């Protein structure tokens, strides 16, 4: 089953810059490329996804910097770069007030978050299947960003963040059932 979100590469820029430049989609970057500095992780500029973005949108960035993924968000915050290759579910998109640009021409393949389990596991522990079924389609990108933000920015453990989410889900289901 699908959770309801995908974790794909995204191009992100500061909200204030997106508004000032009227940029909502990747293709909107075209007229501004000469003045924009691109930052990306060690792999992205060698990957087929990057080549697809460049060819689909006919883009050519004037400059790009390769950096550790953990430094990209700080680099955009401190204006060392203007656009970064973000991960669509990264909580720092919201924390740093970034805008993930829409891939209107589907240059990037979908990377849906899915649940996979072997038949043996499901036979041995049927409650696992029931739990996963409950989550299927219930976590959108914004929710996943907030969950990741709990780990990245609030320094909670993944287990703490998951428990908080699941406890909230149980409460919201009870609230809907009463209505």
């Amino acid at each position: 089953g699908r959770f309801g979100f995908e974790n794909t590469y995204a191009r992100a820029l500061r909200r204030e810059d997106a508004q000032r430049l009227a940029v909502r989609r990747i293709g909107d970057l075209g007229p501004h490329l000469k003045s924009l500095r691109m930052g990306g992780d060690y792999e992205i500029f060698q990957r087929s996804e990057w080549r697809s973005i460049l060819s689909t949108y006919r883009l050519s960035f004037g400059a790009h910097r390769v950096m550790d993924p953990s430094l990209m968000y700080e680099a955009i915050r401190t204006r060392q770069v203007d656009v970064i290759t973000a991960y669509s579910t990264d909580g720092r998109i919201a924390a740093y007030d970034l805008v993930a640009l829409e891939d209107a021409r589907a240059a990037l393949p979908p990377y849906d978050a899915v649940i996979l389990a072997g038949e043996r596991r499901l036979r041995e522990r049927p409650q696992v299947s029931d739990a996963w079924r409950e989550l299927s389609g219930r976590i959108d990108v914004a929710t996943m960003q907030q969950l990741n933000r709990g780990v990245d920015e609030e320094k909670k453990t993944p287990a703490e963040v998951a428990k908080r989410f699941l406890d909230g889900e149980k409460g919201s289901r009870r609230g809907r059932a009463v209505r």
Side-chain angles (χ1 to χ4, degrees), residues 42-172:
Y42 297 123
E43 295 180 1
I44 190 60
F45 299 116
Q46 309 306 314
R47 292 181 60 106
S48 62
E49 290 94 334
W50 178 249
R51 289 188 299 276
S52 180
I53 288 285
L54 296 179
S55 65
T56 300
Y57 291 100
R58 293 187 168 84
L59 299 178
S60 177
F61 284 86
H64 65 269
R65 280 181 68 183
V66 177
M67 59 188 70
D68 186 278
S70 64
L71 301 177
M72 288 188 305
Y73 295 91
E74 188 62 21
I76 196 166
R77 187 187 71 74
T78 59
R79 300 185 176 280
Q80 295 173 46
V81 294
D82 303 300
V83 182
I84 61 170
T85 297
Y87 307 103
S88 64
T89 62
D90 197 310
R92 293 171 290 187
I93 291 173
Y96 286 58
D97 197 26
L98 304 178
V99 173
L101 301 179
E102 179 186 337
D103 179 12
R105 298 182 190 162
L108 299 170
Y111 289 101
D112 292 320
V114 298
I115 302 163
L116 301 173
E119 287 183 38
R120 189 180 105 217
R121 170 68 60 186
L122 296 176
R123 269 194 318 275
E124 292 171 356
R125 308 227 16 220
Q127 69 273 26
V128 170
S129 178
D130 294 339
W132 285 345
R133 199 171 296 118
E134 282 287 317
L135 291 174
S136 184
R138 298 189 67 106
I139 305 173
D140 59 15
V141 171
T143 300
M144 196 66 225
Q145 284 179 355
Q146 289 306 312
L147 295 172
N148 283 332
R149 186 176 184 179
V151 174
D152 294 333
E153 298 294 314
E154 298 169 22
K155 305 303 181 201
K156 304 280 187 209
T157 68
E160 290 171 320
V161 171
K163 182 176 180 348
R164 184 175 61 192
F165 170 74
L166 293 172
D167 288 347
E169 279 290 294
K170 289 176 190 170
S172 68

